């Protein structure tokens, strides 16, 4: 069995995954603030999950943890997880020693990409390549090829949020103008909307429906940014599908309907774009999908495994082996 965790800014999602990739138990808990509290949340959920699924520590072959921060390939150190109050946290010793199984850390969007591929991408006939587009406070994507992440040389493959799609567009925090994230990121929308409310993006869509001209500009910009991201992901990766998830995607068909309309309008002017069938490749991750926690477990399965029946190690956490992933990408 594998354990997978998706540590989010407000709650942590945890799953038990069978060797065939099936989720057999799932639990959620509020995430604590700061490195110690994050580790405490993971360990408490691991206890609960093992009890729920009647597992002992010896049944757990590997553990994957997705977090909203930077993770160097093959490292268990998560850095710059600002939404969690974590500057740097080495999950290998902190979680692996307590639970006695090898730990793999992964950026949460990349983990969700792997999970979304397992849940949606692989089901398409001949679908060897999929992109996952995460619409949250920021915008990022992940490419999955034959079930493995395509990271690029420095792990920045899929960082489409900072591609500028309008040199006169809104200022982005990265220093450019008109980035996809400046148009479509929940953080940028909230900042530019500037009115109180818990769900600024939903408020913008409501106000736009009611005819507020400022809201219409923001909503249409958001739709333009997402449609641009879909076009870029298909044109660079020729992916079979672009699966959309993340907090902003909770708008569901209110968002996807407009993005589809935008893609079809653009295609009406361009036989080339029309030939790509962009709108047909768009899919929405259902709300509450376990994609990120499942993906974290699957990434851990590809990286490091304690042999069945082997003693639970005290402190010997193996280096993740990424050769399998490389073989999948290049094969
Ligand atoms: Zn930017």
């Amino acid at each position: 069995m594998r354990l997978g965790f998706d540590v989010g800014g407000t709650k942590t999602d945890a799953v038990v995954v069978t060797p065939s990739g099936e989720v057999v138990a799932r639990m959620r808990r509020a995430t604590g603030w700061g490195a110690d509290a994050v580790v405490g949340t993971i360990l408490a959920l691991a206890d609960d999950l093992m009890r729920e699924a009647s597992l002992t520590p010896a049944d757990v072959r590997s553990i994957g943890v997705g977090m909203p921060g930077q993770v160097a390939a093959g490292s268990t150190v998560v850095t710059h997880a600002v939404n969690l109050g974590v500057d740097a946290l080495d999950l290998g010793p902190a979680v692996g020693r307590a639970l006695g199984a090898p730990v793999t850390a992964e950026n949460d969007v990349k983990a969700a990409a792997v999970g979304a591929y397992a849940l949606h991408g692989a089901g398409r006939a001949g679908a060897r390549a999929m992109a996952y587009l995460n619409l949250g406070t920021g915008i990022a994507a992940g490419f999955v090829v034959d079930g493995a992440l395509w990271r690029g040389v420095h792990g920045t493959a899929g960082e489409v949020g900072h591609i500028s799609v309008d040199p006169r567009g809104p200022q982005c925090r990265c220093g450019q103008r008109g980035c996809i994230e400046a148009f479509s990121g929940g953080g940028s929308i909230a900042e530019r909307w500037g009115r109180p409310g818990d769900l600024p993006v939903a408020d913008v869509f409501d106000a736009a429906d009611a005819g507020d001209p400022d809201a219409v500009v923001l909503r249409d910009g958001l739709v333009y940014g997402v449609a641009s991201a879909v076009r870029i992901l298909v044109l660079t990766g020729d992916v079979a599908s672009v699966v959309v998830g993340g907090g902003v995607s909770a708008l569901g068909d209110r968002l996807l309907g407009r993005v589809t309309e935008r893609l079809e309008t653009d295609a009406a002017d361009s036989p080339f774009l029309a030939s790509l069938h962009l709108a047909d490749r768009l899919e929405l991750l259902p709300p509450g999908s376990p994609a990120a926690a499942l993906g974290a477990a699957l990434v851990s399965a590809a990286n490091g495994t304690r042999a069945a029946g082997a003693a639970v190690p005290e402190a010997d956490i193996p280096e993740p082996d990424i050769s399998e992933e490389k073989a999948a990408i290049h094969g």
Side-chain angles (χ1 to χ4, degrees):
M1 294 290 187
R2 320 282 178 181
L3 302 188
F5 298 86
D6 171 32
V7 184
T10 52
K11 53 185 191 303
T12 296
D13 191 18
V15 293
V16 176
V17 179
T18 65
S20 62
E22 189 191 350
V23 174
V24 290
R26 185 181 186 192
M27 288 185 157
R28 270 172 278 197
R29 227 178 222 261
T31 306
W33 176 259
D36 290 346
V38 164
V39 170
T41 304
I42 292 170
L43 295 180
L45 270 169
D47 269 355
D48 291 348
L49 272 179
M50 286 196 282
R51 200 173 306 118
E52 168 89 6
S54 304
L55 301 176
T56 68
D59 297 320
V60 178
R61 306 281 294 279
S62 67
I63 298 159
V65 182
M67 278 177 65
Q70 293 174 8
V71 183
S75 168
T76 55
V77 180
V78 180
T79 55
H80 308 302
V82 289
N83 290 343
L84 303 172
V86 172
D87 290 332
L89 168 60
D90 190 348
L91 291 164
V95 172
R97 271 178 206 169
L99 297 178
V103 171
T104 297
E106 188 54 85
N107 167 267
D108 61 341
V109 172
K110 290 188 166 70
V114 173
Y117 180 88
L119 293 169
H120 299 272
R124 290 204 168 198
R128 295 184 56 195
M130 187 211 83
Y132 169 71
L133 175 61
N134 196 71
L135 308 178
T137 307
I139 307 278
F143 287 110
V144 182
V145 181
D146 291 337
L149 278 169
W150 173 272
R151 295 170 182 282
V153 176
H154 302 102
T156 48
E159 291 289 347
V160 294
H162 297 289
I163 294 175
S164 174
V165 289
D166 181 355
R168 288 165 300 178
Q171 182 68 45
C172 183
R173 63 189 170 90
C174 78
Q176 303 183 89
R177 296 195 81 91
C179 288
I180 287 171
E181 182 166 307
F183 275 112
S184 308
S188 169
I189 293 280
E191 201 173 288
R192 289 185 295 143
W193 179 236
R195 303 183 201 176
D198 290 339
L199 298 166
V201 178
D203 292 346
V204 165
F205 271 65
D206 290 343
D209 286 348
D212 180 322
D214 294 339
V216 169
V217 168
L218 289 179
R219 181 199 63 194
D220 291 353
L222 190 159
V223 168
Y224 170 68
V226 174
S228 300
V230 172
R231 193 174 66 241
I232 288 164
L233 289 166
V234 171
L235 282 170
T236 50
D238 190 19
V239 289
S241 56
V242 177
V243 179
V244 177
V248 172
S249 74
L251 284 165
D253 287 337
R254 289 182 86 187
L255 173 64
L256 264 274
R258 287 186 180 275
V259 172
T260 299
E261 198 179 318
R262 173 85 210 200
L263 292 169
E264 285 171 348
T265 304
D266 293 346
D269 296 331
S270 164
F272 168 65
L273 284 181
S275 75
L276 298 173
H277 302 289
L278 295 175
D280 296 344
R281 305 197 203 195
L282 201 54
E283 279 182 48
L284 189 65
L285 203 60
S289 166
L294 168 63
L298 296 176
V299 171
S300 81
N303 278 355
T305 294
R306 184 168 55 79
V312 176
E314 283 297 320
D316 182 23
I317 311 301
E319 282 291 308
D321 174 10
I322 59 169
S323 58
E324 192 177 325
E325 176 183 336
K326 283 180 179 163
I329 288 171
H330 296 296

